[in-house]
Amino acid sequence: MTVLVLHRNPLEPFPYDQWLRDYPGDVVVLAARDRLELFGETVPDDDLGYRRLEFLNTFDDQESLRRRASSLAAEFAVETVIAHHEADVDLAAGLRQAHGLAGAWPSDTAPFRDKATMKARLRVAGIETASYTVPRVAAEARAFAELHGFPLVSKHRHGYNAIGLRILDDPDALEQHLSAAWPEPGSVRDDLLLETYVPGRMCHVDGLVVDGRMVLGWPSQYQYDLASFGTDAGSRVDVALDTDDPLNKRLLDLTEGALAALRPERSRLRDHAFHAEIFHTPDDRLVVCEIAARPAGAKVREVLAAMFGVNLGEYATRAQAGLPLPGLEEAVAGGPRPVPTRMAGQVLMMKRPGLVRQVPQAPQEDWLEHFWVYARPGQLLDPASGSSDFLVAAVASAPERTECERRLRLLGARFEAQTEIVVPA
């Protein structure tokens, strides 16, 4: 009996050996070497107690990754496949189907991975999303712009981490984008999604589904624009909503409805974490942007751990491996979901190109939950490659949201003052 973990993240936040300490079989981890190096981690020279810990130079070669993962699944008679990165959800589903394993197969993950399928199912269920199209040729994109006006948003249908996302403010920006997307006259593609821009603040709801039922969930709100990761040199604050915030119930109910629309009764996707992004518009509407069937990125896992004592990465792993979920027994048995006794949030700074002269020092406040620095003085940095390519990150807690946000902004201002990155002459 073996669990195979496909791991495209740094190892430090994902101690599978601890999370699966009571698993009665073996654990095999296939990891991406370049992701460890990106976050400044040293590649281990032993198996860290796993049955096997193996590295590929990169997971970007999907065919090589698929072949190696399939080989490991056969060699170790794998019964469970786990993948917590958005880019590997489909691969894990394909492995399960190919080897006849329990868990989500490609038809079950498709509504969460294909943004066009996702929006279509949500709209059929009466859930509001942005208007959208999948333009096969440039003329179809122009026709959509003529109908809906600007701004527009272009993204990859199967994208993640805001990579490739473009906000098109006017016809000139659209034409520039179309020239890059369709460089050859008459060329056809179906991997892009074009949608109307939804104004307002982005909220996100994160939690856990066990046997098809949400057993943990809580909303937070980004205080920044996700798409600005490549140009934002300042601190970016994200903070949970208070228990008495009137948006809470609306966001949780909407998320449950969205999950039901994307995961019908016949779905094999029964145990999973989720990350839903929902716009709260100036006229008080809630519009679903998208929802993923995996744990959130950034430091959301640590934020919820500070609020509930539950790490979504750990509990999604344990749920898929069929292990108990301490602290959630009542919710799993059909009782009420837990409510946090304190608030928490995260403050982030993105990498930016240049030579690192100075990085922030670890704060000493007792309300600091976690602190990370992903660069060192003397290091030459490239621009942020996605919305999770951080320079600095911290998680803080407080009795209520207002004080939590104040603490996060205090940390953010300090991090900005203590960071020095210069462009070499």
Side-chain angles (χ1 to χ4, degrees):
M1 190 161 65
T2 303
V3 169
L4 172 62
V5 179
L6 307 178
H7 190 72
R8 190 190 289 254
N9 291 298
L11 283 174
E12 178 268 333
F14 295 86
Y16 297 106
D17 57 332
Q18 299 175 31
W19 294 353
L20 296 170
R21 58 194 174 279
D22 50 343
Y23 182 70
D26 294 324
V27 178
V28 173
V29 178
L30 180 61
R33 184 184 305 272
D34 58 350
R35 299 303 294 176
L36 269 69
E37 294 171 344
L38 177 66
F39 285 88
E41 288 190 15
T42 300
V43 178
D45 55 9
D46 60 24
D47 286 332
L48 300 181
Y50 298 114
R51 179 67 175 83
R52 180 176 296 177
L53 173 60
E54 184 173 318
F55 290 91
L56 296 179
N57 287 335
T58 180
F59 275 19
D60 291 342
D61 183 344
Q62 283 286 296
E63 182 56 29
S64 294
L65 172 59
R66 186 197 63 77
R67 287 198 305 267
R68 188 58 194 143
S70 184
S71 177
L72 289 171
E75 178 182 351
F76 290 97
V78 164
E79 292 189 356
T80 302
V81 180
I82 292 172
H84 291 324
H85 195 287
E86 187 75 3
D88 302 320
V89 168
D90 289 339
L91 172 61
L95 282 175
R96 295 187 196 104
Q97 182 173 17
H99 293 269
L101 305 178
W105 289 11
S107 60
D108 308 306
T109 58
F112 291 88
R113 288 290 296 121
D114 183 342
K115 301 179 197 303
T117 299
M118 178 188 302
K119 290 180 186 296
R121 290 201 181 184
L122 291 175
R123 290 166 77 90
V124 166
I127 295 173
E128 186 176 0
T129 75
S131 298
Y132 72 97
T133 188
V134 177
R136 300 180 73 250
V137 296
E140 292 178 359
R142 294 189 183 97
F144 185 82
E146 180 70 22
L147 178 63
H148 292 282
F150 294 91
L152 297 174
V153 180
S154 177
K155 59 180 71 171
H156 291 289
R157 282 178 68 173
H158 296 84
Y160 57 89
N161 286 355
I163 298 171
L165 186 148
R166 300 287 184 274
I167 297 176
L168 311 173
D169 291 315
D170 52 43
D172 288 342
L174 173 65
E175 289 304 318
Q176 183 178 5
H177 177 63
L178 296 181
S179 296
W182 283 274
E184 299 295 329
S187 59
V188 177
R189 61 189 299 177
D190 65 356
D191 61 330
L192 294 180
L193 184 139
L194 190 64
E195 64 184 19
T196 54
Y197 180 85
V198 180
R201 184 71 74 187
M202 174 80 83
C203 301
H204 60 98
V205 182
D206 300 277
L208 183 69
V209 168
V210 176
D211 195 23
R213 180 175 179 272
M214 186 196 297
V215 300
L216 180 71
W218 202 259
S220 298
Q221 191 177 69
Y222 298 119
Q223 305 300 305
Y224 60 89
D225 179 5
L226 281 174
S228 67
F229 66 85
T231 58
D232 190 352
S235 55
R236 296 152 71 89
V237 167
D238 173 33
V239 62
L241 299 187
D242 274 324
T243 54
D244 60 354
D245 192 305
L247 274 181
N248 254 329
K249 186 177 187 310
R250 293 174 61 194
L251 287 165
L252 288 167
D253 288 348
L254 179 59
T255 300
E256 283 197 282
L259 287 169
L262 301 179
R263 196 197 60 243
E265 284 297 322
R266 65 183 180 277
S267 174
R268 298 176 186 84
L269 182 62
R270 306 294 297 169
D271 304 301
H272 64 94
F274 62 86
H275 175 68
E277 295 181 337
I278 302 169
F279 294 106
H280 181 217
T281 68
D283 59 352
D284 199 33
R285 291 177 297 121
L286 295 180
V287 181
V288 174
C289 177
E290 53 193 62
I291 181 168
R294 45 81 180 165
K299 300 303 178 183
V300 174
R301 298 179 301 274
E302 289 79 4
V303 169
L304 264 70
M307 296 169 63
F308 293 98
V310 170
N311 184 299
L312 283 182
E314 176 181 4
Y315 274 50
T317 299
R318 292 181 63 83
Q320 292 175 44
L323 296 174
L325 305 176
L328 292 183
E329 294 91 347
E330 184 177 2
V332 170
R337 294 190 297 263
V339 176
T341 57
R342 59 177 176 167
M343 293 294 103
Q346 58 182 331
V347 57
L348 313 164
M349 287 183 64
M350 307 306 301
K351 288 181 180 175
R352 60 184 190 266
L355 179 66
V356 179
R357 297 287 194 192
Q358 179 178 296
V359 295
Q361 300 300 306
Q364 299 303 309
E365 286 84 352
D366 58 7
W367 42 257
L368 179 79
E369 301 288 336
H370 299 280
F371 173 72
W372 301 264
V373 176
Y374 296 110
R376 62 187 184 278
Q379 185 176 357
L380 189 63
L381 297 180
D382 293 324
S385 59
S387 60
S388 62
D389 197 358
F390 309 125
L391 175 72
V392 181
V395 171
S397 62
E400 45 79 34
R401 176 187 172 169
T402 301
E403 176 61 15
C404 188
E405 184 171 347
R406 187 193 72 80
R407 292 174 178 180
L408 291 167
R409 294 196 181 280
L410 175 69
L411 290 177
R414 187 186 307 169
F415 294 163
E416 292 175 21
Q418 293 179 349
T419 299
E420 184 180 0
I421 298 176
V422 298
V423 178

